């Protein structure tokens, strides 16, 4: 029986992994969260990060840059989502320990080319802290591509500045469009709600997820996300999201990821 090639480390045997390790490939570490993504999108955005990672690894390997995907970390660092029934998050202290242990396991076994593909804002600060400490101790550089921030930066090019601004936000673009493309069987467009335009928190008008406006200036508040969001929806309008936008965003993220793999390979050759 011919076995289908996999880029997922979890699907490889120990013998496979010993052989692969000797070639010092690039490893992708996808991270995500399990939280409120709005009423239309599955709570596990880590599913999307894992799918994007797989596409990057397959395309990079096909271009001659051998790449594999480490098991996705499904639980993100706690920030705004403690209110969500069923949601699971790690304290920032725990996230630091988990990331430190993951990197130590890989680095001590000779894997020096590691790229983080992050799918949760609450992970960002700790990824930076842990990878910076590793760089200071070992001179190994572990870049972090925050997938949804990168996709948000691409939105104006794909939709135009006005539509990008109106559609971008938690529970809307880019995540909802990407989910419509990558996981069409899991999204529920019929459950769509739009953000409340006059929502207030702490006596001030809500500006965005976790933020209010004070005389035209955004101020962040330490409240749970449901205080400023409408069923997980920030300022973006999910009605402006669609699978075609998700396809274009995914393709651009994969292109970016492959470029990063290539750059890392050439820097470490």
């Amino acid at each position: 029986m011919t076995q289908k090639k996999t880029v997922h480390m979890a699907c490889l045997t120990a013998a496979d992994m010993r052989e692969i390790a000797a070639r010092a490939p690039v490893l992708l570490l996808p991270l995500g969260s399990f939280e409120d993504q709005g009423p239309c999108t599955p709570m596990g955005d880590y599913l999307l990060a894992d799918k994007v990672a797989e596409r990057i690894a397959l395309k990079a390997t096909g271009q001659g840059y051998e790449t594999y995907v480490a098991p996705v970390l499904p639980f993100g660092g706690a920030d705004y989502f403690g209110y969500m029934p069923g949601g699971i998050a790690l304290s920032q202290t725990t996230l630091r320990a988990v990331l430190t242990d993951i990197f130590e396991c890989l680095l001590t076994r000779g894997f020096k080319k590691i790229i983080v593909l992050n799918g949760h804002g609450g992970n960002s600060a700790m990824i930076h802290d842990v990878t910076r400490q590793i760089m200071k101790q070992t001179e190994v550089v572990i870049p972090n591509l925050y997938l949804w921030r990168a996709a948000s930066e691409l939105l104006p090019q794909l939709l135009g500045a006005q539509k990008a601004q109106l559609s971008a936000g938690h529970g809307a673009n880019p995540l909802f469009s990407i989910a419509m493309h990558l996981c069409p069987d899991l999204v529920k467009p019929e459950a769509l709600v739009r953000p409340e335009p006059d929502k207030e928190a702490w006596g001030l008008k809500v500006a965005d997820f976790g933020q209010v406006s004070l005389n035209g200036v955004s101020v962040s508040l330490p409240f749970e996300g449901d205080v400023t969001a409408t069923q997980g929806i920030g300022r973006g309008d999910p009605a402006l999201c669609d699978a075609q936008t998700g396809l274009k965003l995914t393709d651009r993220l994969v292109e970016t990821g492959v470029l990063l793999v290539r750059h890392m390979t050439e820097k470490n050759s």
Side-chain angles (χ1 to χ4, degrees):
M1 180 184 297
T2 302
Q3 290 187 331
K4 182 180 177 181
K5 178 175 175 56
T6 180
V7 291
H8 286 281
M9 291 169 63
C11 299
L12 300 169
T13 68
D16 293 333
M17 206 65 239
R18 289 187 179 94
E19 182 181 330
I20 289 166
R23 299 194 295 268
V26 174
L27 299 185
L28 307 179
L29 175 61
L31 308 178
S33 65
F34 187 63
E35 64 188 27
D36 185 359
Q37 306 291 350
C40 302
T41 309
M43 287 174 61
D45 70 353
Y46 68 88
L47 297 170
L48 306 181
D50 196 40
K51 287 178 179 292
V52 171
E54 179 183 48
R55 283 161 172 74
I56 292 171
L58 286 169
K59 189 167 185 177
T61 299
Q63 293 183 10
Y65 304 100
E66 190 175 16
T67 306
Y68 294 90
V69 181
V72 63
L73 181 62
F75 308 126
D79 49 9
Y80 296 103
F81 298 96
Y83 67 87
M84 186 63 213
I88 302 173
L90 306 177
S91 71
Q92 293 294 326
T93 301
T94 299
L95 179 61
R96 175 189 289 276
V98 170
L99 290 174
T100 299
D101 286 353
I102 290 173
F103 291 133
E104 182 178 354
C105 287
L106 297 174
L107 290 168
T108 56
R109 297 297 178 269
F111 294 101
K112 308 295 184 184
K113 293 179 284 191
I114 305 168
I115 296 173
V116 177
L117 299 178
N118 180 33
H120 175 54
N123 294 339
S124 297
M126 203 51 64
I127 294 170
H128 175 78
D129 286 354
V130 173
T131 56
R132 182 170 173 78
Q133 188 64 28
I134 288 171
M135 184 182 69
K136 291 166 68 175
Q137 293 174 344
T138 67
E139 298 185 353
V140 173
V141 176
I142 300 175
N144 169 32
L145 177 59
Y146 182 8
L147 294 170
W148 316 145
R149 183 176 63 192
S152 294
E153 293 169 350
L154 294 168
L155 275 175
Q157 302 173 28
L158 301 177
L159 302 179
Q162 183 178 16
K163 186 175 180 180
Q165 182 177 16
L166 292 174
S167 69
H170 195 271
N173 263 331
L175 201 65
F176 184 28
S177 287
I178 292 173
M180 293 172 80
H181 167 57
L182 291 178
C183 301
D185 54 325
L186 299 181
V187 299
K188 296 184 176 181
E190 70 277 7
L192 186 143
V193 300
R194 306 176 93 162
E196 299 174 24
D198 300 318
K199 191 174 182 69
E200 291 190 355
W202 205 52
L204 296 169
K205 183 177 175 60
V206 169
D208 199 353
F209 196 90
Q211 298 178 9
V212 292
S213 178
L214 178 64
N215 197 28
V217 176
S218 293
V219 178
S220 296
L221 298 175
F223 298 149
E224 292 287 4
D226 57 346
V227 175
T228 54
T230 304
Q231 296 186 46
I233 307 298
R235 62 175 171 81
D237 186 351
L240 299 174
C241 300
D242 60 84
Q244 186 61 28
T245 299
L247 168 61
K248 293 177 181 178
L249 287 170
T250 300
D251 286 347
R252 293 290 296 274
L253 287 175
V254 171
E255 290 173 10
T256 302
V258 172
L259 285 174
L260 186 54
V261 168
R262 185 174 73 184
H263 182 76
M264 168 165 277
T265 302
E266 292 173 352
K267 286 286 289 185
N268 287 270
S269 61

